[in-house]
Amino acid sequence: MKILVTGGLGFIGSHTVVELVNAGYDPVIVDDLSNSNIKILDQLTKILGFTPVFHELNLCDETAVSKLVQDEPDIGGIIHFAASKAVGESVQNPLKYYYNNFYSLINLLRLYGHKPLNFVFSSSCTVYGQPDVLPVTEDAPVKAAESPYGNTKQIAEEILRDTIAAGSKFNVIALRYFNPVGAHESALIGELPNGVPQNLVPFITQTAIGKREKITVFGDTYNTPDGSCIRDYIHVVDLAKAHVAALKLMETADFKGYDVFNIGTGKGSSVLEVINAFEQATGVKLNYQIGPKRDGDVEQVWGDVTKSSEKLHWKAELDLNTMMASAWAWEQYIAANPL
């Protein structure tokens, strides 16, 4: 079955392409290269032994998406990653986030909406804001978002629910995942941020390799054991496999309509714990400093993943040290083989 993977040359998308092939699917990649690198297609070729089909286009362009539908009429499923994704940037440039993240989704729903499709949406734990109870379950109330990025995920889920309620032929699963980190075991693909990293782990690895002078830990006075923010970090390969599990669930006769799942490890780690884990896994000491809190950051969040285990038959398998070691292997690879 052909699966359209939007944002398929990005961090999570590229790893999901690999896992789709491993599971017997035929991925078709769409990416506008605004936050990715065309050379990742070559890296995927090295891993897979063939070059996946690739279309370069912006999903906000209705004409381009219409042509895609004509060029790829036998798509059986869609995994939608393509979106602007940095919390801090969204606070500074909210209109970019509302435009990119809504138009791309709506164009896919409208222009592919004439046929039955299984649709996996890349959602986020940011929909929960700062939960009242931890670990947070899928039944927790969706609070006012802490950032425009989080708001786009909340509203996108509403768009999907409303579309299903209106009689869409789609089946939809929204995966509310936590903080993806790490890299493929081959070290041929990993997180490749353009410019200054917006996420913790690539900033750690770039500091370790000498690209950055030091890491700033944004706040050490939160109500957490060591004062730094707590997140549920999940290995990107485990996360990629969850998308395959979601597709397989929607292919069963038992599934119809819309559902949401938390995708994480079920365990929170603080920023300082992640820094320590990196040092332990790699033997590299990091230069870091404590800075002020950052607008839009949630104090602490980690997920209850019972539902994913029971219904998706999926669970995270790779631990934090493995995440750090694989991220470091990837950073060393791109230092020696610039992309």
Side-chain angles (χ1 to χ4, degrees):
M1 179 188 295
K2 283 190 176 183
I3 305 297
L4 189 71
V5 185
T6 74
L9 295 185
F11 176 39
I12 307 171
S14 60
H15 287 82
T16 301
V17 166
V18 173
E19 296 307 322
L20 285 168
V21 172
N22 290 344
Y25 292 98
D26 183 9
V28 176
I29 299 171
V30 169
D31 204 301
D32 70 355
L33 304 179
S34 63
N35 194 35
S36 57
N37 189 321
I38 188 59
K39 294 181 181 178
I40 295 299
L41 191 61
D42 296 331
Q43 302 299 100
L44 287 171
T45 300
K46 293 174 186 176
I47 295 171
L48 299 173
F50 68 93
T51 303
V53 174
F54 170 64
H55 299 271
E56 181 180 350
L57 63 91
N58 186 333
L59 292 170
C60 295
D61 182 340
E62 183 175 346
T63 301
V65 179
S66 295
K67 186 176 186 305
L68 175 67
V69 174
Q70 295 173 3
D71 292 342
E72 300 288 353
D74 53 348
I75 293 295
I78 297 173
I79 303 179
H80 183 44
F81 296 108
S84 299
K85 62 178 185 176
V87 169
E89 183 191 39
S90 77
V91 175
Q92 299 300 319
N93 192 359
L95 292 182
K96 172 184 176 181
Y97 278 68
Y98 291 125
Y99 181 85
N100 287 346
N101 295 6
F102 293 149
Y103 274 93
S104 59
L105 174 63
I106 291 168
N107 280 338
L108 285 173
L109 294 176
R110 287 181 59 248
L111 298 172
Y112 268 108
H114 61 284
K115 59 183 293 188
L117 284 177
N118 294 327
F119 191 100
V120 184
F121 177 63
S122 168
S123 192
S124 169
C125 65
T126 57
V127 302
Y128 298 119
Q130 179 58 65
D132 295 324
V133 178
L134 291 170
V136 62
T137 72
E138 292 87 349
D139 294 327
V142 173
K143 294 186 174 184
E146 299 285 336
S147 68
Y149 165 74
N151 201 28
T152 67
K153 293 301 184 183
Q154 290 181 354
I155 296 172
E157 286 194 12
E158 292 173 2
I159 290 170
L160 289 164
R161 281 196 299 270
D162 291 345
T163 301
I164 294 300
S168 170
K169 298 178 180 179
F170 282 21
N171 286 322
V172 176
I173 286 178
L175 298 183
R176 293 174 175 171
Y177 38 82
F178 290 75
N179 289 59
V181 297
H184 191 260
E185 62 182 1
S186 66
L188 290 172
I189 55 174
E191 191 164 6
L192 190 64
N194 289 334
V196 178
Q198 299 289 325
N199 297 324
L200 174 62
V201 173
F203 217 109
I204 285 175
T205 59
Q206 288 190 11
T207 301
I209 205 101
K211 291 181 182 178
R212 307 288 164 192
E213 178 187 357
K214 58 190 173 184
I215 304 160
T216 298
V217 177
F218 295 108
D220 67 346
T221 59
Y222 287 103
N223 185 27
T224 62
D226 63 23
S228 63
C229 288
I230 290 176
R231 297 289 183 271
D232 186 342
Y233 294 90
I234 178 172
H235 199 293
V236 66
V237 173
D238 281 333
L239 176 56
K241 291 177 179 178
H243 294 79
V244 176
L247 284 176
K248 290 190 176 298
L249 175 59
M250 287 188 286
E251 290 167 5
T252 68
D254 295 334
F255 188 92
K256 184 173 178 58
Y258 177 85
D259 208 347
V260 299
F261 293 90
N262 285 340
I263 304 296
T265 64
K267 177 181 182 297
S269 300
S270 73
V271 173
L272 292 174
E273 285 175 333
V274 173
I275 289 173
N276 290 334
F278 179 86
E279 292 180 338
Q280 292 174 8
T282 67
V284 179
K285 297 297 291 183
L286 293 167
N287 180 25
Y288 68 90
Q289 67 178 12
I290 305 299
K293 294 179 179 180
R294 184 172 57 177
D295 290 342
D297 275 345
V298 171
E299 179 177 271
Q300 52 185 320
V301 62
W302 65 93
D304 184 317
V305 293
T306 303
K307 183 178 176 183
S308 296
S309 175
E310 293 178 348
K311 292 191 176 182
L312 289 181
H313 306 294
W314 169 94
K315 65 177 181 178
E317 298 178 346
L318 303 172
D319 64 16
L320 187 60
N321 279 12
T322 303
M323 300 176 209
M324 296 301 103
S326 63
W328 179 231
W330 161 246
E331 188 68 56
Q332 292 175 298
Y333 173 86
I334 57 177
N337 306 273
L339 298 181

